[in-house]
Amino acid sequence: MYNKFMDYFFRAKQFRAKKRLGQNFLVDEKVIDEILSCVNENDSVFEIGPGLGFVTERLVEKAQDVFAVEIDKDAIQILNKNLGQKDNFKLIEKDILKVNLDEIYPQGKKIKIVANIPYYITSPILAHLLGEIDDFNNKNRSFIDEIILMVQYEVAKRICANENSQNKEYGMLSILSQFFCDTQIIKHVSKRSFYPSPKVDSAIVRIKNNFKPRVENPSVLLKKTVKAAFNTRRKNIKNSLLSAGMLGVNEALEKLGLDFNIRGEKLSIQDFNKLACALEEFNK
């Protein structure tokens, strides 16, 4: 009986994965099926890091069209060989951080992004796609319906964490991911689903674009306030803001009825914005 897992495993084993690029190829057909279940036949898909094309080969069979961006020249040769003749596939040989979606898609187009990315570049890629929390006119975000993202499990928990999370996953990455979007872990993925096998498990995360910020009338000091809170996690919110050079900290906290000893990880995005608005009076 034909075993696609063994086929993926064999093909991945023939390729010399590059540690500097964080290459761990998904070889588990059931996990690939899970990713494909998030894609419809009318979707335009933009894939980041297709690697050897195991997911890509399935995407071009199901989606309306697929653009994929890859920087590894060896992987690019394989992708061109296996998929170069597909009418609905186009490969972009470029760093994702240098790709602007408005150069690819017509204005008003809504796309679905599928990505398997190394943890160390997760924040820069999400910031590039979604914009920082004070970047309300980010062009890339206007094209994105949702992102189906494969990342390390611990990173996935940070993306989806909030002020009620028990551990210390909630932070800048949480707010960056959730300021314009809803996030959800849809599958825990074993490290054995990859070759070479990484040291830790991964997860598939859905990031759904709301096309509007989490708060109305965001403060001009919101990003600075959030960064101050999470740059000094061991300090309470009062000392974190003072360390960042904020003025009127006591007055702002008293106005909102916030405990001076509360830590930033216990404040919601809405709480942060209220605090930032209260600080504006003293930090013009």
Side-chain angles (χ1 to χ4, degrees):
M1 182 178 179
Y2 176 66
N3 188 323
K4 187 164 282 189
F5 174 87
M6 293 305 297
D7 180 44
Y8 291 147
F9 181 82
F10 177 78
R11 290 166 63 186
K13 200 171 182 180
Q14 302 310 302
F15 186 85
R16 181 173 293 180
K18 300 173 180 65
K19 288 186 177 180
R20 64 183 175 82
L21 296 178
Q23 287 180 332
N24 300 97
F25 302 112
L26 180 61
V27 296
D28 189 330
E29 185 179 7
K30 290 183 179 179
V31 179
I32 294 176
D33 287 342
E34 187 74 35
I35 293 171
L36 267 290
S37 71
C38 301
V39 176
N40 299 314
E41 61 182 13
N42 295 322
D43 285 336
S44 291
V45 174
F46 184 82
E47 187 182 14
I48 301 172
L52 301 181
F54 301 158
V55 176
T56 322
E57 291 166 3
R58 301 280 303 282
L59 286 172
V60 296
E61 293 176 357
K62 187 172 185 180
Q64 185 178 81
D65 53 67
V66 179
F67 282 81
V69 58
E70 177 61 61
I71 60 172
D72 181 10
K73 294 188 180 300
D74 295 326
I76 287 169
Q77 286 186 345
I78 293 173
L79 290 164
N80 279 326
K81 178 182 177 182
N82 295 337
L83 293 165
Q85 303 305 313
K86 297 288 185 178
D87 292 336
N88 65 335
F89 174 74
K90 183 173 179 58
L91 183 61
I92 301 168
E93 302 176 21
K94 203 171 184 180
D95 182 343
I96 179 57
L97 298 180
K98 297 178 180 178
V99 174
N100 293 314
L101 297 177
D102 62 353
E103 297 172 356
I104 302 171
Y105 297 100
Q107 194 66 35
K109 182 75 171 178
K110 294 296 179 287
I111 66 171
K112 188 165 290 184
I113 293 180
V114 173
N116 179 10
I117 58 180
Y119 77 94
Y120 64 85
I121 200 172
T122 301
S123 292
I125 289 178
L126 287 179
H128 180 63
L129 295 175
L130 300 176
E132 297 282 0
I133 62 175
D134 58 351
D135 184 3
F136 304 109
N137 298 311
N138 183 277
K139 290 183 179 180
N140 286 331
R141 187 178 62 248
S142 67
F143 290 90
I144 299 169
D145 176 37
E146 66 179 18
I147 303 172
I148 306 302
L149 179 66
M150 177 79 78
V151 288
Q152 286 189 359
Y153 184 57
E154 293 303 316
V155 177
K157 289 195 291 184
R158 287 169 53 200
I159 288 173
C160 298
N162 59 40
E163 71 279 10
N164 297 316
S165 298
Q166 293 183 353
N167 297 315
K168 297 185 180 298
E169 291 111 359
Y170 182 53
M172 283 294 295
L173 181 57
S174 315
I175 292 180
L176 168 66
S177 305
Q178 297 174 40
F179 194 71
F180 292 95
C181 304
D182 293 326
T183 61
Q184 174 192 11
I185 294 177
I186 57 178
K187 187 174 181 62
H188 186 162
V189 180
S190 168
K191 58 188 177 184
R192 293 187 295 274
S193 295
F194 298 87
Y195 184 87
S197 179
K199 295 180 180 179
V200 296
D201 287 353
S202 296
I204 303 172
V205 178
R206 174 181 277 116
I207 301 175
K208 180 69 175 176
N209 191 0
N210 290 322
F211 296 100
K212 61 181 181 180
R214 184 70 61 184
V215 297
E216 294 183 6
N217 303 316
S219 167
V220 295
L221 290 179
L222 178 57
K223 184 179 178 180
K224 184 176 181 179
T225 303
V226 172
K227 286 186 69 174
F230 291 120
N231 281 345
T232 52
R233 277 184 174 272
R234 294 184 178 180
K235 295 183 178 181
N236 59 36
I237 191 65
K238 173 186 173 181
N239 290 333
S240 293
L241 294 172
L242 290 174
S243 295
M246 292 281 206
L247 303 176
V249 173
N250 287 356
E251 292 85 347
L253 292 172
E254 287 178 352
K255 179 180 179 180
L256 297 176
L258 287 174
D259 185 341
F260 285 19
N261 290 314
I262 196 172
R263 296 183 186 275
E265 63 201 49
K266 295 301 179 184
L267 298 181
S268 67
I269 295 175
Q270 291 79 6
D271 292 332
F272 273 118
N273 192 56
K274 291 175 183 178
L275 180 55
C277 288
L279 288 165
E280 284 184 20
E281 179 183 349
F282 307 95
N283 296 270
K284 295 180 179 179

